[in-house]
């Protein structure tokens, strides 16, 4: 197994364990949602997850997808990136706070390496006396592909 495959497998296990602990049965549909979340680095929308799960499980409802995402978010296994002008995007691949780079043209969202993010959080804590628990850092711009359009 490659390190990435190991990571995805571990993420899948962690999400499934948390859902079970909340009293949810891991149905084949739910397992499919978890697999997509664990393996997606592109920050899918709920609708995108729904469409992909529906291919294999036509009886899946959008409500099941939302419910699963909601519970995973509550237990800290998924990050929701909400936007005022677009649907939320979800990250179950990296469930901890990290910076995002977002294309305002095509909506691509990348996870650049979060170097110095901790330093910045510590700096904010020192300056304000806050106990910083999490953060959200979005960098908006135009991706290389959209720049050539
Ligand atoms: Zn773009
Ligand atoms: Mn991310």
């Amino acid at each position: 197994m490659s390190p990435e495959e190991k990571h995805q497998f571990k993420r899948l296990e962690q999400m499934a364990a948390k859902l079970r602990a909340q009293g949810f049965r891991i149905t084949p549909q739910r397992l499919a949602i978890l697999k997509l979340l664990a393996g997606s680095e592109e920050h899918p929308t709920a609708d995108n997850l729904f469409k992909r799960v529906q291919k294999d499980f036509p009886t899946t409802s959008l409500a099941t997808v939302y419910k699963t995402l909601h519970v995973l978010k509550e237990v800290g296994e998924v990050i929701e990136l909400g936007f005022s002008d677009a649907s939320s995007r979800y990250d179950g691949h990296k469930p901890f706070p990290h910076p995002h780079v977002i294309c305002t043209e095509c909506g691509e969202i990348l996870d650049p390496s979060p170097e110095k993010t901790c330093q910045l959080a510590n700096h904010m804590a020192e300056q304000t006396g806050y106990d910083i628990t999490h953060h959200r850092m979005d960098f908006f711009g135009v991706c290389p592909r959209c720049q050539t359009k």
Side-chain angles (χ1 to χ4, degrees):
M1 258 201 263
S2 71
E4 176 53 29
E5 282 169 327
K6 269 188 203 150
H7 174 76
Q8 292 184 15
F9 188 71
K10 205 177 113 203
R11 288 296 308 129
L12 182 61
E13 295 276 283
Q14 281 170 345
M15 287 191 276
K18 286 273 181 80
L19 279 187
R20 277 194 211 98
Q22 296 291 310
F24 286 89
R25 270 195 318 123
I26 308 298
T27 58
Q29 286 91 330
R30 246 187 207 117
L31 187 64
I33 298 169
L34 298 187
K35 274 188 185 157
L36 286 175
L37 282 169
S40 299
E41 289 181 80
E42 73 270 22
H43 310 84
T45 61
D47 206 52
N48 176 273
L49 288 167
F50 171 59
K51 286 191 178 119
R52 283 153 78 191
V53 176
Q54 238 193 354
K55 277 187 194 142
D56 291 321
F57 303 98
T59 58
T60 311
S61 70
L62 184 58
T64 301
V65 175
Y66 271 114
K67 178 77 195 163
T68 307
L69 286 170
H70 177 75
V71 177
L72 288 171
K73 190 185 148 190
E74 293 286 295
V75 297
E77 288 296 317
V78 154
I79 290 177
E80 177 178 8
L81 296 171
F83 299 98
S84 55
D85 57 346
S87 0
S88 285
R89 306 275 291 261
Y90 296 90
D91 192 339
H93 187 260
K94 288 195 189 125
F96 45 86
H98 56 273
H100 287 106
V101 171
I102 302 165
C103 178
T104 50
E105 298 293 319
C106 69
E108 179 180 70
I109 301 183
L110 296 181
D111 292 333
S113 112
E115 259 172 79
K116 298 195 177 157
T117 302
C118 273
Q119 267 164 270
L120 190 57
N122 289 339
H123 179 67
M124 298 291 161
E126 269 166 37
Q127 219 180 90
T128 60
Y130 272 50
D131 176 13
I132 305 285
T133 53
H134 55 286
H135 62 259
R136 176 164 176 188
M137 235 183 286
D138 292 338
F139 296 85
F140 293 94
V142 182
C143 76
R145 237 173 313 120
C146 291
Q147 282 172 39
T148 62
K149 271 180 204 159

